[in-house]
Structure formats: structure tokens, C-alpha cells
Amino acid sequence: MQILLVEDDRRISSFVVKGLEELGHQVILAESAEAAREWVNADSLDIVVLDIMLPGIDGIQFTKTLRYRKNHIPILILSALGEIEDKVDALESGADDYLVKPFSFKELVSRIKALVRRDGYKNTSHVNDSCIEIRDLKVDLDRYEVYKGGANVDLSPKEFKLFKYLIENRNKTLSRTAILQAVWGIDFDNNTNVVDVYVSYLRGKVDDGSDTSIIRTVKGVGYMLKTD
């Protein structure tokens, strides 16, 4: 596995690099977001492990820039900022997971493996399953593209991640808590309405104008993407 570590604290970076390399992984170290730019589009890269408090461009802005440029490589944030608001801000900016410093190295490795496995960023074993057609929609899960009646639908990284999760679990009822965990990495219901807000955004972009939305509300539970 090839990992880009963006961390300016040399005490932390030396510890992480040494541990990951001992496990057989290849680690590229960048001490700033500016230095990381030349690596993020490498085909061989599997994941970015990113500090927030960086000199120059911070980790949040760097994440937003990657997502704006349609780079969907998994991003794991490492930060000493441990408040719920900090985590939500990072996840809504496009990060896939968030680990608070100080952290267990064993947990870091587990989260890296889980993100690479779950996101399937480099997995080409399901090419035939990557293109889905629903009503007048065509969704390419590998290329992160959505077309409606032949026209491109511009989804934000988080909208696409939500839509992809619904598609992968189509015709199943998904609770708001399950969606929060899968899409935002929040493993508890903190009374946020972010799921409802993003479902509303999605409906406005992908529904075909018929009376029945493909994204159904399951009262008191959550949502279901209905294709039957």
C-alpha cells in the first residue's frame, strides 16, 4: 500500500513512517500541503493521511481543494482538535475519517485499511458492476459521474458519497444513524439534520420529475433508494 502522510510534526511523522514501513507499506512524507500537491494525483497512491494544523494551506482547505478537483482518494484526518464541531467540519469538507491525537498506532493502521477497503479506490475487480442505470439516470461509481437524460449532474463529493451509499444498499431501509456513520463517519446521532438536508439536495438533482421520488422517506427510520 502506498500512503501519503502530510504532517509537519517530525516527532509524529517519524513514528508513523517507521511503523507503517515496518508493516511493508510505502510512505511518502510531505511536511506541507504545498509539498503534497505533486503526489496526490499519482495512480499508485492509496490514501492520504493528513494533519489539519499545517504551515501555509491547512488540512481542511487542502481537502476541499482535492474534492473540488474531483480527486476522490480516501483522506484520513489526524488532529489534536477533538471537539465534535472540528470532526464534523473536516468530514463535511470531504474527509473520510478523523482520528484525534494522541492516537494508538494499531487504531491508525486499522482505519487506514478500512478506508482503502471500503472506498475501493483502486479496486478494479467489479468493473461490470460500476455502471448503474436507474430510470433516466446513469451512475458510474468508479468515475464518480452521474448522468440524467444524457446530461451530466454535478454532485458535490459528499452528495456523491451519499448517493453511492444509497445505490449500494438500494431497496433497503437505511437509518439516519447508519447513513451518518457511512457517509460522515459519525457513529452516533448527535441530533444533526445533515442527512435530511443532503437527501433534499440529492432529490433536487437526480429525481426525474415523476410523483414518486427514487429516494423514499421511511417514516421514523430513514431513507431507501427504490429501484423496484
Side-chain angles (χ1 to χ4, degrees), residues 59 166 205:
L166 293 171
K205 294 181 178 182

Side-chain angles (χ1 to χ4, degrees), residues 57-223:
I57 300 172
D58 66 28
I60 298 297
Q61 188 58 48
F62 187 55
T63 298
K64 289 180 178 178
T65 300
L66 290 181
R67 298 315 191 214
Y68 176 77
R69 293 177 177 175
K70 305 298 183 184
N71 187 323
H72 296 284
I73 190 167
I75 297 175
L76 169 60
I77 294 288
L78 300 181
S79 178
L81 304 174
E83 298 297 322
I84 292 297
E85 291 79 8
D86 299 316
K87 297 177 183 179
V88 171
D89 185 36
L91 294 167
E92 291 194 348
S93 296
D96 297 284
D97 200 358
Y98 192 106
L99 187 58
V100 178
K101 301 176 182 178
F103 52 84
S104 157
F105 180 73
K106 184 179 290 187
E107 182 178 6
L108 171 65
V109 172
S110 294
R111 288 182 182 239
I112 288 172
K113 288 180 178 178
L115 281 180
V116 173
R117 181 175 62 246
R118 183 179 71 192
D119 196 86
Y121 179 70
K122 296 179 67 181
N123 186 354
T124 59
S125 63
H126 300 292
V127 173
N128 292 334
D129 297 329
S130 66
C131 294
I132 308 295
E133 294 191 18
I134 307 169
R135 297 187 183 175
D136 64 341
L137 293 169
K138 290 185 178 180
V139 184
D140 190 325
L141 299 178
D142 286 345
R143 295 178 178 274
Y144 292 82
E145 295 175 348
V146 179
Y147 295 91
K148 177 176 166 58
N152 180 260
V153 178
D154 186 20
L155 298 184
S156 71
K158 197 60 69 177
E159 288 170 347
F160 188 89
K161 191 170 184 179
L162 171 59
F163 196 32
K164 180 180 179 184
Y165 181 64
L166 293 171
I167 289 171
E168 290 173 341
N169 294 276
R170 50 194 178 277
N171 302 314
K172 298 178 184 177
T173 298
L174 301 171
S175 69
R176 287 176 175 82
T177 302
I179 296 171
L180 276 173
Q181 167 62 30
V183 180
W184 281 269
I186 301 173
D187 57 6
F188 60 92
D189 187 350
N190 64 347
N191 297 316
T192 177
N193 69 338
V194 67
V195 173
D196 303 308
V197 170
Y198 271 79
V199 167
S200 177
Y201 291 161
L202 263 183
R203 282 174 169 162
K205 294 181 178 182
V206 303
D207 273 338
D208 60 7
S210 65
D211 292 336
T212 306
S213 171
I214 60 170
I215 304 174
R216 311 281 181 87
T217 300
V218 181
K219 190 173 181 180
V221 181
Y223 296 96

